[in-house]
Amino acid sequence: MPLIAPPLSLYVHMPWCVKKCPYCDFNSHGVKGEPPPYAEYVEALLADLDADLRDFGSAAHGRLVHSIFFGGGTPSLFAPELIDRFLDGVRERLPLADGAEITLETNPGTVEHGRFDGYLAAGVNRLSFGIQSFDDDKLRRLGRIHSASEAEAAVKSAQDAGYANINLDLMYALPQQTLEGAQADVARAVALGPTHVSHYQLTLEPNTAFAANPPPLPDDDHAWAMQEACEHQLAEAGYRQYEISAYARPDRRCAHNLNYWRFGDYLGIGAGAHGKLTDVAAGQVRRRWKTRHPKAYLAAPGAPGRIGGDGPVAADELPFEYMLNALRLVDGVPMADFAERTGLPAERIAAALATTRGRGWLDDDPARLHTTPLGQRFLNDVIATFLD
């Protein structure tokens, strides 16, 4: 089957944060001693982008960018002037779609008054706040550097600056959290009027402080009760669930994350950033990731040493990679997208489809890949069926 190039996004990793949280397994590095070389890092990002465009050739160069996402770490540690410098550099190198979504993740404890005006002027049109909870005790247990009142003040400050597209990250099943506590967090989030809420369960990831010394977490039954109750609460407030952990007002779904879940393309620049690109001419889906440590990444801007790994995704891995993303979407994806975005015929997954449909995990719809409510609950098992 011929590959068809999907939409292209740009992911930008900003690796520093004030303090590493005990649950975090992202590539983030706490600031110690001297301030990080923020300006130098921005220049390294542009050199990285130049090198990727050169390496990938027609597979990337000149393609329209539909979204940009600054993730971390804590991107809001970077001054608006530096974000502006970077976005100007991107516009010089790649065309941006009209109304391209540009998101910046921010920690409520790191943004000074007035910075939101600068981010907006630079072109950032969507903010994502890492709130996690509005309970000060839970925030302390999570190692967060902000309080509930500081979180509310930061969101209101962004709204006063003119931001109309804001996501709030919330966690549930926190240490010693009750159902009422989880619902109270959702109520306080909704009261702030964000356009999007990311609501996900705290999990103990390997190589984190919480994994080494697990806190007392609610059991699976209590966590499931929290998920169901909060889903209903968000729906009542007008937020439609469109992905396992994502809820949005009408027309406010996250375009960048939707591109991930639909197995779209994205360039990944910055320390530890991952990218995925469809090379139609070569007939392959290619992944590239960058070296993780900021010092190693900065050692030779744009040089081969910035690359941590690179290569095509094997054909027998593509069905699992595709389903790992697409089946997270509540409404599913067209069946035709599988062939267009993997280059594989639908027959390649016929046995797995028969198994998952037979177990009641997928709807029996030949034109669409769509999980049932039962399949959504056992999504990991559904996706595992597509492992070669």
Side-chain angles (χ1 to χ4, degrees):
M1 299 293 293
L3 282 167
I4 296 177
L8 178 69
S9 294
L10 176 63
Y11 174 73
V12 188
H13 193 74
M14 317 299 248
W16 292 288
C17 54
V18 174
K19 185 181 72 169
K20 182 83 170 179
C21 295
Y23 59 85
C24 178
D25 68 336
F26 295 154
N27 183 37
S28 58
H29 304 263
V31 174
K32 299 176 182 178
E34 291 294 318
Y38 296 124
E40 180 185 347
Y41 189 79
V42 168
E43 296 309 313
L45 289 174
L46 293 173
D48 189 3
L49 180 57
D50 282 333
D52 272 2
L53 293 175
R54 182 174 60 249
D55 292 348
F56 294 138
S58 61
H61 206 284
R63 286 179 62 183
L64 192 66
V65 173
H66 293 267
S67 66
I68 300 174
F69 196 101
F70 293 93
T74 305
S76 54
L77 288 174
F78 286 72
E81 296 77 15
L82 293 176
I83 299 298
D84 186 44
R85 162 71 183 125
F86 175 77
L87 289 175
D88 280 346
V90 172
R91 296 183 188 100
E92 292 168 1
R93 291 160 172 81
L94 286 166
L96 296 189
D98 291 340
E101 178 190 273
I102 303 177
T103 302
L104 183 124
E105 288 186 332
T106 179
N107 184 320
T110 65
V111 181
E112 299 172 359
H113 180 72
R115 274 202 172 189
F116 292 124
D117 303 83
Y119 292 135
L120 191 62
V124 174
N125 52 29
R126 183 176 184 269
L127 293 175
S128 181
F129 283 92
I131 304 290
Q132 315 315 353
S133 176
F134 288 96
D135 182 316
D136 284 336
D137 174 67
K138 299 298 181 286
L139 289 170
R140 179 183 57 79
R141 290 173 181 269
L142 292 173
R144 304 299 287 172
I145 65 170
H146 65 271
S147 67
S149 60
E150 287 172 335
E152 291 178 331
V155 174
K156 291 175 182 176
S157 178
Q159 291 167 332
D160 289 343
Y163 274 98
N165 198 3
I166 292 175
N167 169 67
L168 303 185
D169 279 349
L170 286 181
M171 286 180 169
Y172 67 93
L174 303 179
Q176 298 183 328
Q177 189 177 43
T178 63
L179 173 61
E180 292 75 19
Q183 291 178 297
D185 276 347
V186 170
R188 289 184 70 172
V190 167
L192 289 170
T195 50
H196 191 285
V197 176
S198 298
H199 186 254
Y200 52 98
Q201 183 176 350
L202 172 63
T203 54
L204 302 184
E205 301 294 345
N207 303 314
T208 63
F210 270 4
N213 295 288
L217 300 181
D219 61 28
D220 289 344
D221 287 340
H222 284 90
W224 177 249
M226 291 178 191
Q227 181 180 333
E228 284 195 310
C230 292
E231 283 179 4
H232 178 74
Q233 192 176 355
L234 286 163
E236 287 287 304
Y239 296 87
R240 184 179 183 276
Q241 184 181 22
Y242 67 99
E243 186 267 346
I244 291 295
S245 304
Y247 305 76
R249 296 281 194 193
D251 301 320
R252 289 300 194 178
R253 296 183 299 175
C254 178
H256 188 87
N257 287 340
L258 274 174
N259 194 43
Y260 287 156
W261 296 322
R262 290 169 175 163
F263 212 53
D265 282 353
Y266 50 98
L267 292 168
I269 64 170
H274 283 241
K276 173 229 169 218
L277 206 63
T278 302
D279 190 334
V280 174
Q284 65 183 21
V285 175
R286 181 175 175 181
R287 288 201 182 276
R288 169 177 283 188
W289 56 98
K290 306 300 168 56
T291 188
R292 289 175 58 86
H293 202 280
K295 286 185 178 179
Y297 178 81
L298 285 165
R306 78 192 192 285
I307 300 173
D310 189 10
V313 181
D316 59 0
E317 296 174 1
L318 278 169
F320 174 75
E321 291 253 353
Y322 181 85
M323 298 300 174
L324 185 65
N325 293 280
L327 293 184
R328 294 181 64 89
L329 291 170
V330 172
D331 292 335
V333 292
M335 185 68 198
D337 282 7
F338 173 78
E340 291 179 358
R341 300 196 177 190
T342 65
L344 300 174
E347 291 76 18
R348 188 69 174 262
I349 55 172
L353 288 176
T355 298
T356 50
R357 286 170 176 160
R359 293 173 179 170
W361 290 344
L362 285 184
D363 280 341
D364 191 13
D365 182 350
R368 195 164 190 84
L369 291 164
H370 181 233
T371 51
T372 62
L374 181 65
Q376 285 286 316
R377 183 166 186 180
F378 295 100
L379 189 60
N380 288 340
D381 298 304
V382 181
I383 294 169
T385 311
F386 293 88
L387 282 168
D388 191 283

